[in-house]
Amino acid sequence: MKITEIKVIIASPGRNFVTVKIMTDEGLYGIGDATVNGRELAVAAYLTEHVCPILIGRDPQMIEDIWQYLYKGAYWRRGPITMAAISGIDIALWDIKAKAANMPLYQLLGGASRDKMLIYQHAGGLTIEETVEGVIALREKGLEAIRAQVSIPGLPPIYGTGPNVDQLTAGMVQARPVEEVWATHKYLPLIPKLFERLRDAVGWDLHLLHDTHHRLTPIEAARLGRDLEPYRLFWLEDPVPAELQEGFRLIRQHTTTPIALGEVFNTIWDCEKLISEQLIDYIRVTSVHAGGVTGLRRILDFASIYHVKSACHGPMDISPVAMGANVHVDRWVPNFGIQEFSGYLEATHEMFPHSWYQQGGYLYSGEAIGHGVDIDEKIAAKHPYVQAYLPVARGTDGTMGSW
Ligand code: CS2
Ligand code: MG
C-alpha cells in the first residue's frame, strides 16, 4: 500500500480545526487531528510545507517507522507544533491500518478493557451559587463527574466561567488575545468555599474536579490541595506550570489531594519524572498533542507502571477526530482513569460524522472500523478559518501570568 495524497483541511465549524486526510493507492484513507488552539496555521504550514511532501509514496502501514522518521528526522525534536503535526499523521495512519484490518481501532490495540468510558464535563459560574446550579444541572443529565470553576468576586470572568466560557468559538474574529485579570490571594480562599458549598449541595457520590490552569506556585498549590482535602476532590488539575517537574515534590509533601497534569505535554520527556516519581495521579496527555496513538500509548504504558491513570484532554478544541482516537485508546488502556468530554457545537458534529457517542456520564467508542470518525469536506468548505487566540492573564498589577 502507498500514500498517494495528503490533504490538510483548515476549517472552523464553531471553532478552528486542522484535519489531516491521507489517501492511499488501495482506496483506503485515514483521518487525523493536528489542531493547536490559537496556532492552527503554524501546524498546517509545518504539515503542508515540510511533512506531506516527504510521505508521498511511503507505505502507510509502517506507522512506527513514519513516527520515528518525522520525530528524529526533524532534528529539532519535540514541541507543540512538531508533535501536533506528527500526531495528525499518526492518527490517520492508525485509522488506515484498522480499516485495512477491518476492525475498530481498540481491537487492533489489544481489545476492550471496558465497554463504556467515564467522562466529566464543565460547570462554571460567576458566583458560587451559579456554579452549584451548573453542577446540579449536569448531574441531572447523568454526569457522575463534573469539573467546577468559579469567577473571583470583583474581577472580570476568568477561565472556565462567564458567558464566553469557550472564548474561542468562531465568529469572534480576534486581532489580539483577550486579556484576563488574575489575583491568587483572592482565588486561594475562594475555592475551598466553593467545594464546601458543593459537597453540601450534592453530597459525596459525585466526582468533583477543579482546574487551576497553571496559575500557582508549588507552595500555593500545596496550600490549596490541603485546604481541599475535606472535600475529597477527584483531582486538582494543572496547579502549577510543569516545566520544573521536580517542583511537584513540594506539593506531594503537603497534600493527598490527587493531582492531574499534562494537557500541554507533547512527549514522554515532559512527564517522565512526574510519572516515575509518582508526583501525579492522572496524566492528561491527548492523541492530538502527544504524538498521536503511538505517542499516547507509549506514555500511558509507562504511566501504568507507576499507578498513574489516563485522563485524556477533551475540551471543544480537541476535534471529534482526536476524540475518536482517544476513546479507542480509552477502551483498550488498562490504567484508564477518566475522559474529559466537553461536547461540541452542532456545526462541529455535522462536519465530523462519528460513531462514538455519549450516553449520560459515559462515552462509547462505537464499532465502526478505524477510529470511526470522518470529515465532510463539502461542509468544511463552508466554514473558513477564523483568526482566534487563546486569552492571556495578567495580575492586577499588570504582571504577565499563565492563562
Ligand atoms: C482546559 C482546556 O479542558 C481543560 O482542562 O485546560 O479547556 C484548555 O483551556 C483549552 O484546551 C485551551 O485550548
Ligand atoms: Mg485543563
Side-chain angles (χ1 to χ4, degrees):
M1 194 185 304
K2 296 230 179 299
I3 295 173
T4 53
E5 184 188 358
I6 303 177
K7 291 183 183 176
V8 178
I9 303 160
I10 309 169
S12 191
R15 63 175 316 117
N16 293 314
F17 295 111
V18 178
T19 306
V20 171
K21 182 171 183 177
I22 299 180
M23 272 68 76
T24 69
D25 59 357
E26 294 189 11
L28 289 175
Y29 66 86
I31 306 288
D33 182 20
T35 306
V36 175
N37 198 357
R39 293 295 184 271
E40 298 85 358
L41 299 186
V43 188
Y46 190 101
L47 283 161
T48 309
E49 301 304 324
H50 305 295
V51 169
C52 300
I54 58 175
L55 294 184
I56 302 302
R58 292 184 63 91
D59 178 353
Q61 298 171 97
M62 296 172 68
I63 299 175
E64 187 64 56
D65 184 65
I66 289 174
W67 198 98
Q68 299 296 332
Y69 180 66
L70 295 178
Y71 180 77
K72 294 173 179 169
Y75 188 74
W76 316 102
R77 298 181 183 187
R78 304 168 64 183
I81 304 304
T82 297
M83 294 314 296
I86 292 176
S87 299
I89 297 293
D90 186 82
I91 293 168
L93 295 178
W94 277 100
D95 192 25
I96 291 170
K97 200 168 191 76
K99 287 174 178 175
N102 196 33
M103 61 176 71
L105 177 55
Y106 77 86
Q107 291 288 16
L108 192 60
L109 292 169
S113 302
R114 58 199 59 77
D115 291 331
K116 60 182 185 178
M117 279 57 77
L118 177 69
I119 61 171
Y120 76 91
Q121 294 194 330
H122 300 174
L126 295 177
T127 65
I128 285 179
E129 288 314 311
E130 198 178 297
T131 302
V132 171
E133 286 164 23
V135 167
I136 290 169
L138 285 175
R139 183 180 60 173
E140 281 163 7
K141 289 182 180 169
L143 273 296
E144 298 177 15
I146 299 167
R147 191 193 77 176
Q149 309 289 129
V150 68
S151 269
I152 296 174
L155 293 182
I158 59 169
Y159 168 73
T161 69
N164 296 318
V165 66
D166 181 37
Q167 273 91 348
L168 300 169
T169 49
M172 283 178 69
V173 178
Q174 292 166 297
R176 290 185 181 285
V178 168
E179 300 224 347
E180 292 186 1
V181 181
W182 176 255
T184 296
H185 72 287
K186 294 174 182 283
Y187 168 82
L188 285 179
L190 174 67
I191 299 307
K193 291 195 182 88
L194 168 65
F195 286 94
E196 180 184 24
R197 175 71 185 92
L198 278 168
R199 282 299 181 207
D200 285 348
V202 300
W204 299 91
D205 199 24
L206 183 68
H207 295 307
L208 294 176
L209 304 82
H210 183 67
D211 190 346
T212 301
H213 226 253
H214 320 284
R215 298 178 185 206
L216 303 179
T217 63
I219 200 65
E220 292 166 346
R223 153 66 66 212
L224 180 59
R226 184 179 290 182
D227 291 349
L228 289 172
E229 284 177 11
Y231 313 114
R232 297 279 188 278
L233 264 64
F234 186 88
W235 78 35
L236 178 61
E237 178 187 350
D238 280 338
V240 178
E243 289 94 335
L244 182 70
Q245 295 186 44
E246 53 270 36
F248 282 72
R249 292 173 187 154
L250 190 59
I251 305 171
R252 222 39 167 188
Q253 285 160 14
H254 292 281
T255 181
T256 57
T257 293
I259 302 293
L261 206 63
E263 68 183 50
V264 299
F265 296 168
N266 48 74
T267 71
I268 201 163
W269 306 110
D270 294 325
C271 48
E272 183 273 325
K273 194 174 290 170
L274 289 161
I275 292 171
S276 61
E277 292 189 21
Q278 299 180 43
L279 302 178
I280 60 175
D281 304 281
Y282 295 91
I283 183 67
R284 302 269 285 125
V285 288
T286 203
S287 56
V288 58
H289 294 302
V293 173
T294 302
L296 185 56
R297 186 176 62 163
R298 192 162 281 140
I299 294 170
L300 297 185
D301 273 342
F302 178 66
S304 68
I305 302 169
Y306 299 96
H307 305 291
V308 175
K309 294 183 178 178
S310 75
C312 289
H313 189 219
M316 278 187 172
D317 49 285
I318 301 297
S319 102
V321 177
M323 188 57 71
N326 287 349
V327 79
H328 279 266
V329 171
D330 292 341
R331 191 158 184 201
W332 150 76
V333 73
N335 51 316
F336 173 75
I338 197 166
Q339 171 63 57
E340 177 179 17
F341 181 69
S342 297
Y344 296 98
L345 302 171
E346 202 38 53
T348 304
H349 281 294
E350 203 192 14
M351 182 173 134
F352 291 107
H354 51 80
S355 82
W356 55 255
Y357 61 94
Q358 175 191 359
Q359 254 174 16
Y362 292 86
L363 208 53
Y364 295 78
S365 66
E367 296 300 330
I369 59 171
H371 54 50
V373 189
D374 203 342
I375 182 168
D376 184 320
E377 293 183 61
K378 289 196 177 64
I379 294 179
K382 293 182 201 161
H383 298 291
Y385 169 76
V386 174
Q387 181 76 49
Y389 288 95
L390 281 169
V392 297
R394 291 183 183 275
T396 47
D397 66 354
T399 302
M400 190 69 200
S402 302
W403 177 70

